[in-house]
Amino acid sequence: MTQEESGAARTAVVIGGGIGGLASGVALARHGWDVMVVERATSLDPVGAGIVVAPNAVRSLDALGVGDATRDLAALQGEFGLRRPDGTWLVRGRAEGAESVFGDRTLMLHRAQLVGLLADALPAGALRLGTSAVVVDPGTTTRAARVAVTDGAGTTTEVRADLVVAADGIGSATRTRWWPSAPAPVSGGSTAWRFVTPRVSGVVGSEIWGRGIVAGVMPLADGRVYMYVSVADAVGVPRDLDELRARLADWHAPVPALLASVDDDTALRHELRHLPAPPASLATGRVALVGDAAHAMLPNLGQGGCQALEDGVVLGARVRPGDDVASALLRWSDERRPRVEKVMRLSARISGPTLWTSPAATAVRDAGMRAVGRWTEALGARALRPVMAWRPPEG
């Protein structure tokens, strides 16, 4: 007799305790699954990073029961836009206008706040830190998946799972083993620094485009500032934060002051990589790929974490404990894959002009955006509406 036939509680194992894994765990638990979320790190304490939660992701958080709590933390307010290194505005708008277009707020949070809310929404005992997991058998329609779970003491136990969610990041071992023909990660052509500065007042949210360098300045609700800087390989990547400070010393205020205030030990530095396309299917057997494991994308659209939240919400809505899991996962993949592929392509397309290094090309780019002014803002809103206006499935 199968577990489905016996009526026993059905188990879902989620590999990875990042945003996609936690969202999947919460969504599945809310729909009746017995959930285990395993995370190899011993704590969920992301450092040095903020996250933009776009309206589509805010609605995902509503579906997970934490939307209102997240809205209470912070919202992007007032003026924001795109600038040149000398401070000249290229595109300028207000957050309230974007909210009216996309139907909800854009939130600006420290990543630890979002992770904490999702972790707290899991059932007691569902999250296992300092624990790793490997899919031994992805299962079939008639056979449960098998997962080898190793705890912090090094003891390995094989767990039978009716559903496995692989949320193990861009370097996903699950994808590598069970999706051997899936595209491998490739370089995005730049390296990024991310950090949160001490409290600073009067900072206006903006992204600044130079020649092969992009900086983002995003105020947080508690007065601190989330900042990121990406430097194209073509202009030479600084060896350390001091070299980055020197490179941006003549950029408009408060960029130099923010860089000067950063504790080097808390800054994150990563080569930007992405998947050129998602796998042909996001599911195999009883295993689903979510988040960066499925569709790691460049950060220029700010949708990486947002799409991971969507993945989890739709997974919970479409794969119920009484379903034929393997078949339901294929339907879930058919729904999710076209959307995430479009978002990946749009992110890559936006990235292109940020890598330009030619003075002539960047001058034309900037002049074009300034000349069309409000048209640029309107066209951007129209292009982004299918992404930002998304709503979770009902029920």
Side-chain angles (χ1 to χ4, degrees), residues 2-368:
T2 66
Q3 196 173 35
E4 291 91 329
E5 292 168 335
S6 70
R10 305 194 71 192
T11 300
V13 175
V14 181
I15 304 174
I19 290 172
L22 293 172
S24 297
V26 173
L28 292 168
R30 287 171 67 86
H31 288 291
W33 287 88
D34 182 4
V35 174
M36 176 197 305
V37 180
V38 298
E39 167 55 46
R40 71 175 67 183
T42 56
S43 66
L44 296 179
D45 295 322
V47 296
I51 183 169
V52 177
V53 184
N56 56 306
V58 175
R59 287 186 283 271
S60 296
L61 294 172
D62 284 334
L64 298 174
V66 297
D68 289 341
T70 312
R71 287 184 183 87
D72 289 342
L73 291 174
L76 190 62
Q77 298 179 10
E79 204 169 42
F80 74 99
L82 187 64
R83 307 174 87 165
R84 289 176 43 168
D86 65 5
T88 303
W89 287 97
L90 300 173
V91 180
R92 198 173 190 176
R94 295 190 64 81
E96 294 80 3
E99 181 178 344
S100 67
V101 171
F102 302 129
D104 214 318
R105 306 177 187 180
T106 294
L107 309 181
M108 186 66 240
L109 307 175
H110 195 290
R111 188 173 291 261
Q113 293 175 305
L114 179 57
V115 167
L117 283 172
L118 292 171
D120 288 345
L122 287 170
L127 179 61
R128 301 191 183 184
L129 298 174
T131 305
S132 61
V134 175
V135 177
V136 177
D137 178 357
T140 66
T141 295
T142 58
R143 187 180 71 248
R146 292 185 292 122
V147 183
V149 178
T150 303
D151 64 20
T155 302
T156 299
T157 305
E158 189 170 281
V159 175
R160 294 173 63 83
D162 299 292
L163 168 63
V164 179
V165 181
D168 47 349
I170 186 172
S172 171
T174 311
R175 185 189 66 239
T176 300
R177 180 170 183 180
W178 297 108
W179 279 261
S181 61
V186 298
S187 173
S190 62
T191 294
W193 283 259
R194 295 175 294 145
F195 44 83
V196 175
T197 74
R199 296 175 62 90
V200 179
S201 61
V203 174
V204 177
S206 62
E207 190 166 85
I208 308 132
W209 286 16
R211 293 201 294 269
I213 303 179
V214 171
V217 177
M218 303 292 172
L220 299 173
D222 62 4
R224 294 181 298 170
V225 177
Y226 168 50
M227 186 173 180
Y228 55 87
V229 181
S230 65
V231 182
D233 298 345
V235 296
V237 176
R239 291 175 298 178
D240 53 32
L241 199 50
D242 281 338
E243 282 196 9
L244 183 65
R245 292 181 179 114
R247 189 80 65 89
L248 274 63
D250 61 349
W251 283 38
H252 74 79
V255 170
L258 291 174
L259 286 168
S261 72
V262 176
D263 179 347
D264 293 29
D265 292 335
T266 65
L268 303 178
R269 181 186 189 273
H270 296 103
E271 176 195 7
L272 293 181
R273 299 188 300 148
H274 65 112
L275 294 176
S281 174
L282 304 184
T284 185
R286 294 178 181 234
V287 182
L289 289 176
V290 303
D292 282 354
H295 46 71
M297 61 190 70
L298 293 171
N300 303 80
L301 190 55
Q303 277 289 313
C306 298
Q307 290 302 307
L309 288 167
E310 286 189 18
D311 287 343
V313 167
V314 180
L315 187 68
R318 301 302 192 212
V319 187
R320 300 299 179 94
D323 290 344
D324 173 341
V325 173
S327 297
L329 283 179
L330 290 176
R331 293 191 295 271
W332 168 81
S333 174
D334 287 343
E335 179 176 351
R336 288 299 300 159
R337 190 186 182 282
R339 174 164 170 81
V340 297
E341 185 174 32
K342 288 178 181 177
V343 177
M344 292 169 78
R345 288 177 176 173
L346 183 56
S347 297
R349 190 158 65 244
I350 293 172
S351 172
T354 70
L355 301 176
W356 293 355
T357 60
S358 160
T362 54
V364 171
R365 176 197 70 190
D366 296 352

